[in-house]
Amino acid sequence: MLVDNHNRTINYLRLAVTDRCNLRCNYCMPEEGINFAKNDKLFTIDELVRLSSLMVSQGIDKIRITGGEPFVRKDLMVLLRNLASLTGLKDISVTTNATLIGPYIDELKELGIKNINVSMDAINRETFERITRRNHYDVVYNNMIRLITEGFNVRINFIALDGQNIEDIIPMLELTKHYNVSVRFLEEMPFNGGSKEFQSIKWDFRAILAHIKEAHPGYYKLQSPKTSTSINYKIPGFKGTFGVIPSFSRTFCGSCNRLRISATGDVITCLYAKASANLRDIMRADDVEANIKSAILQAVGSRAKTGFEAQEKYKDVFSNSMTSIGG
């Protein structure tokens, strides 16, 4: 079992398999001039399989595969097949933009990988294409609906962007009227590769809830797991649910149970912190198991108590982009 220096049990790993993405969302990265990691700086699939096994042996029982866009990697299913057979791993999930997942939906179902988070920040086509700088709306929407109707546990992640997609909040909620799906509205965070800086946001989780209340005054709060980053609600008569994630307000740090490892091996103990170790070179040297475990224990043992404390320590953390730190 991994327990940090603030007595929080760490059982959830967000494992990035690439920093590349086939979209160019304007809140995540610049349109051009992105320095993606060279292939030899990324973990190989064999290394990811071995790393996952070591992490499970240390007490991780939930792994979420992230990117960039995970399905950009042609060999991703090799990793997922191995994870599906890993004893002790109770929950495998994937975060995706749903552009490339279509051909793999049947096998994901066969493997029992049913928890899929779809990043979609607009239900309106023009807004979607303006934010993503790409014209993949149809494939994203169709794959998302297919996942929902074929029994996957789908959560749509929608980042509230002032001046860009606020008018899509209520229409996106309409999906929960007709489908058993969860729509989660996230606060914007300034991890965009330095393309935009801000110290406060207009659309925090309270403003999002107030906006929803104007259209649906009868929504009520649901019981959520202690470690959930989402505060969850239901609108009477709707099949699905919605939630808000205070990712900038950082109200959930006290129960944080997660660790991030980037596609290049950086161990990130908090979104608002810089990497505290790198595992790639350790993985390619001698005495791998002992040294990986030691590095993880050291990182977990020196976590910031809150995202605000981490940000205070790492003043330039916002120069990171979401695609480089695993979303």
Side-chain angles (χ1 to χ4, degrees), residues 132-165:
T132 63
R133 303 181 176 123
R134 296 292 185 271
N135 61 348
H136 295 321
Y137 180 87
D138 286 335
V139 68
V140 170
Y141 183 84
N142 291 336
N143 280 335
M144 177 185 68
I145 295 299
R146 183 182 167 197
L147 288 164
I148 294 168
T149 56
E150 292 194 19
F152 285 81
N153 175 30
V154 178
R155 297 188 296 194
I156 300 168
N157 287 343
F158 177 116
I159 298 179
L161 304 166
D162 186 30
Q164 294 201 70
N165 65 353

Side-chain angles (χ1 to χ4, degrees), residues 16 18-20 28-29 34-37 67-68 191-193 261-266 268 317 319-327:
T18 182
D19 62 342
R20 296 176 184 271
C28 180
M29 64 176 94
I34 309 155
N35 294 317
F36 291 121
F191 299 106
N192 48 49
I261 299 178
S262 77
T264 56
D266 284 340
I268 301 168
V317 68
S319 63
N320 292 335
S321 67
M322 268 297 180
T323 193
S324 69
I325 57 178

Side-chain angles (χ1 to χ4, degrees), residues 3-51:
V3 180
D4 75 5
N5 48 315
H6 304 288
N7 206 34
R8 296 173 294 201
T9 299
I10 311 302
N11 69 317
Y12 174 15
L13 172 65
R14 295 179 62 98
L15 181 62
V17 297
T18 182
D19 62 342
R20 296 176 184 271
C21 187
N22 56 336
L23 302 182
R24 290 292 180 272
C25 297
N26 60 28
Y27 60 84
C28 180
M29 64 176 94
E31 188 168 9
E32 297 176 341
I34 309 155
N35 294 317
F36 291 121
K38 293 184 170 65
N39 284 342
D40 65 342
K41 300 297 184 185
L42 300 174
F43 280 127
T44 67
I45 287 296
D46 286 344
E47 288 170 340
L48 287 166
V49 169
R50 187 175 187 188
L51 176 61

Side-chain angles (χ1 to χ4, degrees), residues 56-73:
V56 170
S57 75
Q58 285 190 284
I60 294 294
D61 61 16
K62 174 180 180 178
I63 295 180
R64 174 172 294 282
I65 299 301
T66 70
E69 168 49 42
F71 287 97
V72 165
R73 281 198 74 146

Side-chain angles (χ1 to χ4, degrees), residues 124 127 130 158 163-172 211:
N124 174 273
T127 307
R130 185 172 65 251
F158 177 116
Q164 294 201 70
N165 65 353
I166 302 306
E167 68 280 0
D168 275 36
I169 289 177
I170 303 304
M172 184 67 88
H211 180 71

